[in-house]
Amino acid sequence: AKAKLAEAEAEFRNALSINRRQARAYDNLAIMLALQGKFADAEPLLREVLLQRRRLLGEDYPDTLNAMENLGELLRVADRPDEAEPLLREALTSYRRVLGEDHPETLIAINNLGLVYYASHRYDKAEEAFRKALELQPDLTNAQENLKLTLDVGGTTIVSHPLENLR
């Protein structure tokens, strides 16, 4: 009986490994599509990755949070900041709880939420987010550039590549 249980465990672990690799492949393909501007093709893949990671890994697993953030970033770049914001807020809240306030992933999430505020023309909130990121890590280049643009509201785009935060 123990041998059969051990065999079943090995099969389940293998199945999980395959599902994780499939999610990573979908994620990579979605990022390549997004970099080509094929947002409509990338979005369903990123939604599937998020669904699979939530199911397999749980809500607070770093890979799940990364998938949530990638989908949020895609929606922001596709000029859908109202859809991006809840995803990026949820990712930030979880990163803070799981990894801590000053973890690099948390800082990226703060910056990304600032980009959503900027895209929504909520410059006061964007400035607050970029300043928070810089307070936690003063040499965070993206946050420095984004804060400069936010303070000079005459700018219409963020200096950094819009998809550079997809991981």
Side-chain angles (χ1 to χ4, degrees):
K2 284 187 178 184
K4 291 214 181 253
L5 287 175
E7 184 180 321
E9 176 189 351
E11 288 181 32
F12 284 126
R13 288 185 184 276
N14 186 46
L16 180 60
S17 173
I18 291 168
N19 284 335
R20 279 187 174 168
R21 285 194 306 267
Q22 180 184 22
R24 172 56 64 195
Y26 275 24
D27 199 28
N28 290 338
L29 175 59
I31 290 169
M32 291 302 107
L33 291 168
L35 289 171
Q36 296 176 65
K38 298 177 180 180
F39 305 132
D41 294 333
E43 183 181 344
L45 295 173
L46 289 177
R47 288 192 184 280
E48 179 63 24
V49 169
L50 179 56
L51 179 72
Q52 290 296 323
R53 288 189 176 158
R54 280 181 164 154
R55 187 176 60 79
L56 294 170
L57 305 173
E59 288 293 323
D60 287 340
Y61 197 82
D63 285 351
T64 304
L65 300 178
N66 179 261
M68 190 180 307
E69 202 166 8
N70 281 350
L71 178 57
E73 271 296 287
L74 176 84
L75 293 170
R76 178 189 64 83
V77 172
D79 200 26
R80 293 161 56 191
D82 292 340
E83 294 174 63
E85 185 176 343
L87 288 165
L88 294 176
R89 278 183 174 280
E90 184 179 349
L92 175 57
T93 299
S94 295
Y95 277 132
R96 282 178 166 149
R97 183 178 62 254
V98 174
L99 302 175
E101 183 73 8
D102 60 350
H103 190 278
E105 292 295 336
T106 305
L107 297 173
I108 291 169
I110 292 169
N111 187 66
N112 289 347
L113 191 56
L115 294 172
V116 165
Y117 293 143
Y118 186 94
S120 301
H121 307 287
R122 293 182 286 166
Y123 302 114
D124 57 332
K125 299 280 284 179
E127 178 183 350
E128 182 182 320
F130 298 140
R131 285 189 186 280
K132 180 65 176 178
L134 288 169
E135 173 189 318
L136 295 168
Q137 185 177 345
D139 61 342
L140 193 61
T141 305
N142 286 349
Q144 290 171 354
E145 293 172 355
N146 295 338
L147 178 59
K148 286 177 192 172
L149 271 176
T150 302
L151 294 175
D152 177 24
V153 180
T156 57
T157 59
I158 298 298
V159 170
S160 56
H161 189 283
L163 293 170
E164 72 181 14
N165 293 325
L166 291 176
R167 303 178 295 291

